Each structure stands twice: as structure tokens, then as C-alpha cells.
Amino acid sequence: MASSVSDRGYLPARARSVKVVVLGAFGVGKTTYVATLSEMRPLHTEERLTRAGELVDDVAVDTKSTTTVAMDFGRRTLGDGDIVVYLFGAPGQPRFAAMIRSLLTGALGGLALVDTRYIDRSYESIDLLEEAELPYVVAVNTFPGAPEYPEDVLRDALTLPGDRPLVFIDARTMHSAKRALVALVSDILRPAGSRAR
Ligand SMILES: Nc1nc2c(ncn2[C@@H]2O[C@H](COP(=O)(O)OP(=O)(O)OP(=O)(O)O)[C@@H](O)[C@H]2O)c(=O)[nH]1
Ligand SMILES: [Mg+2]
């Protein structure tokens, strides 16, 4: 955990910096999540989706016009300014796995977004977080018409370890998005002995 060296007055010098990666399958709401939470104008790297990509990508081009090709970046201060979370939104398409791994370098935790219409597409993100041995929280982003499952069914389907929090959010709503971030940061800051990883 690094101490912020900000001396420009807009972040308290005592603030602790926490790097968090938001990951999940294509179109699950990662860019939306970072944009909702960021208190600065977020950085996005959106490019237009084209039909050419349908040959290699398992994505529903009709539902979205752009996709993240590198990362999203935003910042959210928590508490009384004691904790500054740097949010890195990952790209969603499997061919960007190397980019996601590099975003995980130096991260203190991950937030895995899940869409219950495509649960099987979440495995890769959770595997990457397990591989990186990072604390993480799974956040089910609720879309209209998406199937609703009880928590234990979802945990089973995701083979989620019992110590990993599972929350339900709407990535477009500050209050809801923040709840997931607080759950993750609380877990990250928990004394090492009381956490399983
Ligand atoms: N109903 C609903 N729609 C959402 C929610 N979050 C995102 N969306 C919509 O879903 C679409 C996809 O959102 P993005 O934030 O671009 O998804 P992404 O995961 O960043 O997508 P990629 O970067 O392409 O993988 C957008 O049209 C959002 O408005 C949510 O919580 N509820
Ligand atoms: Mg995106």
C-alpha cells in the first residue's frame, strides 16, 4: 500500500492509493462502472465495433456500437479522503487477455462483473483473479430481462470460494456501484491474517 505523495492540494497527503481492476466479459458494464464512480473525467479507449470482428470474437455486435480496446481509467476517493481508489477498467474480449494480465500488475484487488444471461463468460475473469492471487469481489450487474438466481446458486455456478463477497449492483447508479467498491476495499484493507488471500 503506497502513501500518496500528492502535494498539489486536491488529495490529502495521507491518502492511501489502491489500484483496482474492473474486469468481466464483453459488454458486462465495465466502462459504465468506471464512468459512474469516477470523480474525475474518466479516460476511455472505445473503438467502433465492426462486423469484421465477428469472425474472431464471440460478441453480439447488434447490442453495442463501441468496445474498450485498452482500458478505462478513473479515480474515486473513499472515506474522509483517506483512501484513493484508482480504477482500471479492462477490455472484455478474450483476445485481450494479455492486456488484462498487465493491468492486474500492481493491483491490490479486482472487481469481477457478471451478467446472469452469460454466466459462463465470467469464468475467465475469475480465473485471472485467482491466478493473480488477488482479493476480489464478484458483482452481478443487473440487466432487464436477465435471469435472477439466489446467491447460493450463483456461487455454485461460478465455483466461487466462500470467502469471496458476491454483491448485486446496477453499474449506472453511484450508490450501488460504490457499495461493491467499498466491499472490495474493505476486504483489501482487512488485516492480512483475517483474509484468506
Ligand atoms: N440495464 C443496465 N444496463 C447497463 C448496466 N451497465 C451497463 N449497461 C449498459 O450496457 C452496455 C454495455 O456497457 P459497457 O459499459 O460499454 O460494457 P463493457 O463491459 O465496458 O463492454 P466492453 O468494454 O466492450 O467489454 C451499455 O449500453 C450500458 O449503458 C446496468 O447496470 N444495467
Ligand atoms: Mg468497456
Side-chain angles (χ1 to χ4, degrees):
M1 187 83 46
S3 278
S4 167
V5 291
S6 168
D7 58 2
R8 299 202 173 86
Y10 66 92
L11 288 178
R14 65 176 190 283
R16 291 202 280 182
S17 305
V18 179
K19 176 181 178 182
V20 160
V21 181
V22 181
L23 60 176
F26 172 80
V28 78
K30 303 172 294 293
T31 297
T32 305
Y33 183 85
V34 172
T36 298
L37 270 182
S38 187
E39 62 208 5
M40 51 171 250
R41 188 162 65 87
L43 166 81
H44 297 305
T45 59
E46 295 293 294
E47 287 294 339
R48 287 195 67 76
L49 278 162
T50 65
R51 298 235 164 245
E54 284 180 320
L55 295 172
V56 286
D57 298 323
D58 178 19
V59 299
V61 172
D62 293 338
T63 58
K64 236 159 83 79
S65 60
T66 65
T67 188
T68 303
V69 293
M71 58 185 257
D72 309 296
F73 178 72
R75 187 191 74 210
R76 181 83 228 162
T77 306
L78 296 178
D80 292 333
D82 294 349
I83 300 162
V84 180
V85 184
Y86 292 98
L87 293 158
F88 290 75
Q93 298 171 56
R95 65 188 156 109
F96 292 127
M99 179 70 197
I100 302 170
R101 280 198 181 86
S102 67
L103 286 178
L104 286 169
T105 304
L108 297 182
L111 186 75
L113 295 186
V114 170
D115 178 343
T116 58
R117 294 169 299 179
Y118 312 105
I119 287 181
D120 55 329
R121 294 186 187 170
S122 314
Y123 301 149
E124 186 158 344
S125 306
I126 293 174
D127 285 350
L128 284 169
L129 287 163
E130 288 284 344
E131 177 190 302
E133 298 184 346
L134 285 174
Y136 64 90
V137 165
V138 171
V140 175
N141 196 18
T142 38
F143 287 86
E148 291 175 27
Y149 300 109
E151 179 172 337
D152 58 328
V153 172
L154 280 170
R155 284 186 167 278
D156 264 6
L158 295 166
T159 55
L160 197 60
D163 63 320
R164 292 300 92 215
L166 176 78
V167 294
F168 295 83
I169 66 162
D170 182 330
R172 301 164 300 176
T173 310
M174 166 64 83
H175 174 72
S176 168
K178 195 169 163 190
R179 208 159 35 83
L181 189 66
V182 168
L184 176 59
V185 172
S186 307
D187 199 35
I188 291 170
L189 298 181
R190 198 159 288 155
S194 64
R195 206 182 338 111
R197 62 194 73 210

